[in-house]
Amino acid sequence: MNKKLMAVAVAGALAAPATVLAQVQIYGRANLGVDNYSATGATAANSDFKARNRVFDNSSRLGFRGTEDLGGGLRAVFVIESGVNIDTGSQNSQFGGANASTGFLASRDSYVGLEGNWGRVTFGRQSIYWVQGVIAQSGANYINVDVATTGAIGRVVGPTARTSNVVAYNSPTVNGFNATVSYAPNSEAAAANANTNAKIWGVTGRYSGIVNAQVDYAVNEAATPAAGSAQKLSGLKVGVGYPYAPGAQIAVVFISEKNDNLAAGVTGFAAVGDSVKANAVIVNWEHTFGNMQALAEVGKVQKAKGCTEAATTTCDNTESTGYMVAGRYLLSKRTAAYVSYNRITNKSNATWDVSGGGQSSASASGGFLPATSAGADPRIIALGVIHNF
């Protein structure tokens, strides 16, 4: 009798988690391959990054997501998504430094919240002013990297990307329109007697219909220092895509970013306190025919403005042009093999880099070559496989 009771108790204990797990989806992506990277032609001597062969991982991830029906049209939602470097099993990017979006739980977009017919409110680590949605997906979802996924344009830094400690409201979609408002109180680690008015906020508007459109605006304000005004980073992106056929789209993205009251000087570029601005235009094309998908992209960063013109600082020759061409063979709905070619041509004082997903072997910060390597031209030739599960 005791054995029967024990069997029933064990069966019940095992059955209870199964009910919970039925609401949870395990998902992810593996995106790896082999490539050749270089960044040569630097203005300064001995500042090139010589060609090297690499086994790369780009934005592989493992995630858990689920919902719970709370009744009355209200649902609880959660996502816990973690970046994984399958090539090394570490947190490091291709250049050897840490990638904040890999190597630990919830390193990618992760949140919990409530949703209903009024929209969704979520709390956690979430993206603000990052990638281009359905308008330009090459680097985000299709291949290793493109010129549109970088968070900076030339030497001017973007306001933010994947951001910790965010509260966000995502509206319902009405007649193809949808919007997200995000806020991060960025002073949680402020020291004693330090000002706590730092903050990051952003607004994204989207439309899907005859055309696809997305507008992003974000601001990252540092806390006011004891003397002087605080550094402020802001950015605007406006993208429009025309899906002229199933699986095909031509899109244009305009980007304008500004760094007010720079907290630190930049070698060969700007001085402390400068307010610098740069614009860029990116054209993206994708076309699917049968099991083949063709991708191409070109981006142009215009000359920066606002530098102190002096012997060691100038905005001259800060223009860049980036190119990407790629082809994918769709082995199934979830798996594709691809080849891609990325190149950025920098003028003598420009430092734009192929950096989406930590793909650069030169960059110590997203979007930039080291200042000493200004003028170098990053290039990646890649062969990869991407599998979504």
Side-chain angles (χ1 to χ4, degrees), residues 20-312:
V20 176
L21 291 175
Q23 303 176 54
V24 178
Q25 179 187 9
I26 301 174
Y27 69 97
R29 174 185 300 173
N31 184 10
L32 293 96
V34 60
D35 70 11
N36 183 274
Y37 173 91
S38 66
T40 60
T43 303
N46 302 316
S47 297
D48 286 353
F49 287 82
K50 297 179 180 179
R52 74 286 310 274
N53 295 321
R54 312 182 304 181
V55 173
F56 70 85
D57 180 294
N58 185 283
S59 302
S60 293
R61 79 266 326 242
L62 177 64
F64 303 86
R65 59 190 171 203
T67 64
E68 181 184 9
D69 190 343
L70 302 176
L74 187 65
R75 294 177 299 278
V77 297
F78 80 91
V79 171
I80 301 174
E81 186 172 297
S82 307
V84 291
N85 286 337
I86 302 175
D87 56 339
T88 64
S90 72
Q91 190 187 352
N92 290 346
S93 294
Q94 300 296 331
F95 66 88
N99 181 346
S101 292
T102 63
F104 53 91
L105 284 173
S107 54
R108 295 178 59 85
D109 282 36
S110 302
Y111 53 80
V112 66
L114 297 173
E115 68 176 10
N117 56 14
W118 43 267
R120 172 187 290 188
V121 173
T122 51
F123 306 88
R125 181 168 166 80
Q126 301 174 73
S127 291
I128 306 174
Y129 190 82
W130 186 229
V131 297
Q132 323 298 331
V134 299
I135 294 171
Q137 300 189 68
S138 297
N141 294 315
Y142 294 156
I143 56 173
N144 54 329
V145 70
D146 63 9
V147 301
T149 52
T150 182
I153 51 176
R155 288 184 178 251
V156 180
V157 181
T160 187
R162 186 168 291 115
T163 307
S164 298
N165 304 316
V166 173
V167 54
Y169 168 72
N170 189 55
S171 76
T173 299
V174 179
N175 296 325
F177 290 93
N178 163 266
T180 302
V181 179
S182 306
Y183 168 74
N186 204 29
S187 294
E188 296 187 10
N193 201 39
N195 288 321
T196 57
N197 60 339
K199 57 183 175 293
I200 301 171
W201 60 271
V203 178
T204 298
R206 309 173 189 87
Y207 172 75
S208 292
I210 298 175
V211 298
N212 295 314
Q214 181 168 314
V215 178
D216 294 86
Y217 181 73
V219 176
N220 185 338
E221 298 183 60
T224 304
S229 57
Q231 176 173 278
K232 177 181 175 181
L233 313 176
S234 59
L236 171 69
K237 296 188 297 180
V238 180
V240 178
Y242 174 55
Y244 59 88
Q249 181 175 239
I250 182 75
V252 178
V253 182
F254 170 77
I255 306 173
S256 180
E257 295 177 350
K258 187 176 183 182
N259 300 167
D260 285 303
N261 191 34
L262 289 175
V266 182
T267 302
F269 177 54
V272 175
D274 281 355
S275 291
V276 294
K277 180 180 180 179
N279 298 329
V281 176
I282 293 169
V283 179
N284 184 81
W285 174 74
E286 60 184 71
H287 190 102
T288 303
F289 40 96
N291 287 345
M292 298 295 297
Q293 185 180 34
L295 307 167
E297 195 169 79
V298 59
K300 175 67 177 179
V301 176
Q302 299 172 357
K303 177 183 174 180
K305 300 177 181 179
C307 306
T308 296
E309 297 297 327
T312 58

